[in-house]
Amino acid sequence: MSTSSADHPILPPRRPRLSVDELIRAKNAKPIRSLADLEALSADIFESDEELEEFLAFTYAERRRDVA
């Protein structure tokens, strides 16, 4: 019995797992220290208040999806 490449798909190389601290340093992330910081950040991510509200509603629903 021979094996073919279809039996063993080619996977991309594994990236090393980084700790949260390493990821934060790599992204040069800074803590959010105020509501104004958060508001400024959300303005860069969401194009409108409606888009932000949709994201928040989706996140809320997903967090409670399997809770009975």
Side-chain angles (χ1 to χ4, degrees):
M1 184 183 268
S2 67
T3 60
S4 69
S5 62
D7 294 334
H8 301 286
I10 297 173
L11 301 175
R14 294 185 87 188
R15 293 187 295 177
R17 290 188 179 255
L18 301 175
S19 70
V20 172
D21 288 334
E22 291 169 325
L23 290 170
I24 289 171
R25 279 194 301 276
K27 294 279 187 181
N28 198 25
K30 305 288 184 233
I32 296 171
R33 299 194 186 279
S34 70
L35 187 56
D37 288 350
L38 184 59
E39 186 176 340
L41 180 62
S42 68
D44 292 339
I45 296 173
F46 301 101
E47 294 183 11
S48 67
D49 289 344
E50 291 79 21
E51 187 177 0
L52 172 59
E53 290 297 324
E54 288 174 13
F55 171 76
L56 294 174
F58 170 79
T59 302
Y60 182 84
E62 284 297 301
R63 287 184 173 175
R64 285 153 183 78
R65 181 172 40 141
D66 295 328
V67 177

